[in-house]
């Protein structure tokens, strides 16, 4: 590279430094391109890094199996699918001809059994049975004048030999939640069912004013992890 004849000694030295730096840079780049300065390298790439959630699915069937209601039967998104409404199984029996009785297990009582299991992949840590409000309505054209029929409808719930809800009235159960024993929590995806038997009867103190009446009470079953 020719230097301008009028350049000062300082300028010529500066130009010379730039040229020298350029040459050094070119040498290092050349060495890098030819791997002269490379080091040994060993590496591992983990290509199977995944995570997924399991599921809790509560299934209800009748005493002999058959039709089933599942917590995933709800419409909409996944949050909706966890909460389904089932009208298939009437825990209180659905009888329209009950008459007053002395106690559960005696004349004019009605028993209904349902089974529950966890068909999901996640183990449940809790199982609850929540009773909603009890509402009264007329059962046909001829009915009595009483307004507290829910206080005359008795309910008792057992699972095998375990009493999970002692004999009480539907009115007393309204808006209450029963935490079921750990032994009754259905295991995940095991096929094992847990039975519950409801026994209902009309209190013996119900007189003519309670004829032609009926009571309704929703029950919500929930398992949680």
């Amino acid at each position: 590279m020719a230097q301008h004849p009028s350049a000062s000694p300082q300028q010529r030295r500066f130009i010379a430094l730039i040229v020298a730096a350029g040459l050094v840079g070119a040498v290092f780049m050349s060495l890098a391109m030819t791997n002269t300065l490379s080091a040994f390298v060993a590496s591992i790439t983990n290509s199977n890094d995944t995570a997924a959630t399991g599921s809790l699915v509560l299934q209800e069937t009748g005493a002999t199996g058959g039709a089933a209601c599942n917590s995933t039967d709800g419409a909409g998104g996944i949050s909706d699918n966890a909460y389904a409404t089932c009208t298939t199984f009437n825990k209180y029996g659905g009888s329209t001809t009950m008459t007053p009785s002395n106690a559960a297990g005696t004349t004019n009582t009605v028993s209904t059994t349902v089974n529950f299991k966890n068909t999901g992949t996640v183990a449940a840590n809790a199982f609850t049975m929540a009773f909603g409000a009890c509402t009264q309505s007329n059962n046909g054209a001829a009915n009595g004048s009483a307004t507290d029929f829910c206080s005359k409808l008795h309910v008792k719930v057992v699972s095998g030999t375990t009493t999970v809800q002692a004999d009480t009235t539907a009115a007393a159960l309204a808006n209450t939640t029963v935490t079921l024993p750990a032994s009754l929590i259905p295991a995940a995806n095991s096929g094992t069912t847990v039975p519950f038997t409801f026994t209902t009867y009309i209190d013996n103190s119900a007189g003519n004013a309670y004829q032609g009446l009926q009571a309704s009470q929703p029950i919500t079953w929930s398992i949680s992890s």
Side-chain angles (χ1 to χ4, degrees):
M1 179 177 179
Q3 294 183 355
H4 196 281
S6 62
S8 67
Q10 291 84 356
Q11 290 175 325
R12 286 195 291 273
R13 285 196 297 272
F14 181 70
I15 292 172
L17 288 173
I18 292 176
V19 172
L23 290 173
V24 172
V27 170
F28 274 103
M29 182 174 294
S30 175
L31 290 174
M33 294 294 290
T34 59
N35 291 327
T36 302
L37 297 181
S38 295
F40 292 129
V41 176
S43 66
I44 295 175
T45 298
N46 298 125
S47 60
N48 189 28
D49 307 309
T50 63
T53 58
S55 62
L56 278 173
V57 182
L58 186 62
Q59 184 181 86
E60 179 183 17
T61 57
T64 58
C69 290
N70 301 280
S71 59
T72 53
D73 291 340
I78 186 64
S79 60
D80 294 329
N81 283 346
Y83 306 95
T85 299
C86 176
T87 59
T88 305
F89 307 106
N90 189 332
K91 311 301 183 306
Y92 292 173
S95 173
T96 58
T97 59
M98 298 178 74
T99 56
S101 182
N102 291 323
T106 58
T107 305
N108 298 326
T109 63
V110 177
S111 293
T112 304
T113 299
V114 291
N115 296 301
F116 288 93
K117 62 181 177 180
N118 177 7
T119 61
T121 59
V122 175
N125 294 322
F127 191 15
T128 60
M129 172 179 62
F131 294 84
C134 182
T135 57
Q136 173 184 316
S137 59
N138 295 335
N139 176 31
N143 52 78
S145 59
T147 58
D148 61 341
F149 183 65
C150 288
S151 67
K152 300 299 181 180
L153 175 63
H154 283 252
V155 179
K156 180 180 179 180
V157 188
V158 300
S159 180
T161 59
T162 302
T163 298
V164 295
Q165 175 55 61
D167 186 343
T168 189
T169 66
L173 288 173
N175 302 314
T176 64
T177 298
V178 178
T179 299
L180 302 171
S183 60
L184 299 182
I185 299 175
N189 205 24
S190 67
T192 302
T193 60
V194 180
F196 291 88
T197 298
F198 283 72
T199 299
T200 58
Y201 68 96
I202 306 302
D203 194 271
N204 201 40
S205 64
N208 286 340
Y210 293 91
Q211 294 187 81
L213 302 177
Q214 67 178 12
S216 298
Q217 187 166 42
I219 304 172
T220 300
W221 304 80
S222 301
I223 53 175
S224 57
S225 61

